[in-house]
Amino acid sequence: MTYDPRRALRRKALTALVAMPLALGLAWPAAAQDTKPIPVRIGLQAQTSWLLYTARDLKLFEKVGLDPQYVRLTTGAQSIAAMASRSLDIASPGVTPFAAGLAQGVNWKIIGIDTTLPNAEGFVARKDTEIRKLEDLKGKTIAVARGSTSYYGLLAALQGKGITKDDVKLLLMGPPEQIGAMSNGNVDAVAVWEPWIQRQIKETGARLIGMEADYGVHTALAVYAVHGEFAEKNRQAVDRFLEALLLAYQHIEKNGPDVAITAVADAMGISKELARTMYEEAPAPKVPRWTDADYQYSVVPGSPFPMEAQKMASFLFEEKIIDKKADLSSAFDDSFIRRVLGSAGR
């Protein structure tokens, strides 16, 4: 299968345009006008945080009455230590580091969805192989980063086709090393995320097999996680943080994702063209549907994503990637976004 950007466009669900805040009757909170802005320390990573970067660049956090202090992080794992030391209030780690932090005793809660990457994380095959579909990976050598969402996504997708871990040979390496391994013929395929999928296609001539969403795997997500103590003492700050994300979502829906694409391209050190392709594959999550239990990326306890996240956390423990079991049954808190959407009349 050759990569066709139009295929990614077809994946994108059609959504009705949402009116701007004032048209909806969503006025700035009175507290934002009458009181001193509330300080909040927000972690920033070089990832497709479309909503977060839009809110930052449009000064939406300031508009809702926050005084944002941005903390640069390289990986989601860094947010574990930052949260544990109380040097960060809100972060956007992937599900894997979130579960790892929870297992280590970090007091944090998921209040929203930062990135939805099941349509931007998948599998590519070396160009000179006969691999055309997932079933063709049986008996093949596959490069993947251990402990990553791709590691779980690969094994979960293979399991869905009746292929076990013992039916393939895994070579554990990071995305940069995977480029060389494919070029040198050391592996038959790679399980990885964007922008590395595009790099494999362009630099090694790799062939796209499919994305994780094609095989019913939806755990390639980053989440908005707030420290539990901060949330208890600063509920208004958490509400305002989510209000700003809602406004960012509304801006993107009305005006397009150019602000987000430019910011993410700069943060990730990639071209705007590639960032736009990534947006087409995995657009901003639908904030108004975070309280919809039928939405794949809802934060309602017991909805599809929390249940799949728990399954992945159990997998991480069984694989000895994390040392302790992580119980996610009370890790999702939808009370904040329910209050925000209620105030906005959604």
Side-chain angles (χ1 to χ4, degrees):
M1 180 190 305
T2 57
Y3 181 76
D4 180 0
R6 292 173 296 181
R7 180 170 178 265
L9 281 171
R10 290 194 293 271
R11 298 172 182 272
K12 187 176 180 182
L14 295 175
T15 56
L17 289 178
V18 180
M20 286 299 283
L22 294 180
L24 280 172
L26 175 58
W28 305 123
Q33 303 167 9
D34 303 333
T35 63
K36 184 178 180 180
I38 304 173
V40 58
R41 296 165 297 180
I42 303 170
L44 275 183
Q45 290 179 229
Q47 60 191 30
T48 55
S49 301
W50 312 114
L51 299 174
L52 187 56
Y53 280 116
T54 297
R56 182 199 67 175
D57 285 13
L58 295 181
K59 302 293 184 182
L60 298 179
F61 293 121
E62 290 85 349
K63 287 182 178 179
V64 298
L66 293 177
D67 176 18
Q69 301 166 33
Y70 300 108
V71 180
R72 295 283 180 177
L73 301 172
T74 303
T75 66
Q78 287 183 332
S79 65
I80 299 175
M83 281 285 189
S85 65
R86 295 297 289 110
S87 58
L88 195 63
D89 301 316
I90 298 175
S92 54
V95 183
T96 298
F98 178 84
L102 202 63
Q104 294 173 29
V106 175
N107 177 17
W108 52 3
K109 300 277 188 179
I110 293 174
I111 57 171
I113 304 300
D114 178 46
T115 63
T116 56
L117 298 176
N119 279 309
E121 181 168 292
F123 321 108
V124 294
R126 206 175 70 238
K127 62 181 179 180
D128 57 347
T129 67
E130 295 301 317
I131 299 171
R132 294 291 189 279
K133 56 186 184 299
L134 201 67
E135 294 91 322
D136 296 335
L137 291 178
K138 187 173 183 178
K140 299 299 191 294
T141 300
I142 309 168
V144 63
R146 184 174 185 272
S148 65
T149 52
S150 284
Y151 185 82
Y152 172 78
L154 170 65
L155 297 185
L158 289 175
Q159 185 180 51
K161 297 296 183 180
I163 302 171
T164 70
K165 183 179 177 182
D166 295 332
D167 292 328
V168 297
K169 180 180 180 181
L170 300 181
L171 287 187
L172 306 178
M173 62 182 71
E177 293 75 25
Q178 293 169 2
I179 296 286
M182 284 281 271
S183 297
N184 298 330
N186 296 331
V187 297
D188 301 304
V190 165
V192 74
W193 53 89
E194 294 288 21
W196 297 98
I197 289 176
Q198 295 304 310
R199 287 195 57 180
Q200 285 284 359
I201 292 170
K202 293 179 180 179
E203 295 178 30
T204 74
R207 180 188 308 114
L208 179 67
I209 301 172
M211 299 298 190
E212 290 179 9
D214 296 329
Y215 307 102
V217 182
H218 298 93
T219 47
L221 271 70
V223 299
Y224 290 113
V226 62
H227 194 279
E229 183 179 335
F230 179 83
E232 289 178 9
K233 295 180 178 179
N234 300 275
R235 296 189 69 83
Q236 191 176 57
V238 179
D239 285 357
R240 293 183 186 184
F241 174 80
L242 293 176
E243 285 171 3
L245 296 185
L246 176 59
L247 293 174
Y249 172 80
Q250 292 171 339
H251 175 87
I252 290 172
E253 287 294 285
K254 182 175 179 61
N255 302 290
D258 287 349
V259 171
I261 287 171
T262 299
V264 166
D266 181 64
M268 298 183 73
I270 59 177
S271 69
K272 290 184 182 179
E273 179 185 7
L274 177 52
R276 188 172 297 279
T277 296
M278 291 167 64
Y279 189 89
E280 292 167 353
E281 291 175 329
K286 301 174 183 177
V287 180
R289 295 197 65 190
W290 286 353
T291 57
D292 179 357
D294 293 327
Y295 180 44
Q296 181 62 55
Y297 307 118
S298 168
V299 294
V300 176
S303 61
F305 171 58
M307 290 193 294
E308 196 166 354
Q310 180 61 69
K311 182 179 178 181
M312 190 188 77
S314 299
F315 168 85
L316 295 174
F317 175 71
E318 293 165 3
E319 287 285 311
K320 296 182 173 57
I321 295 170
I322 58 178
D323 298 329
K324 297 180 180 179
K325 291 183 178 180
D327 182 6
L328 274 66
S329 60
S330 59
F332 290 79
D333 189 341
D334 61 343
S335 64
F336 295 97
I337 188 60
R338 285 189 182 281
R339 189 161 50 247
V340 169
L341 292 176
S343 298
R346 300 307 299 260

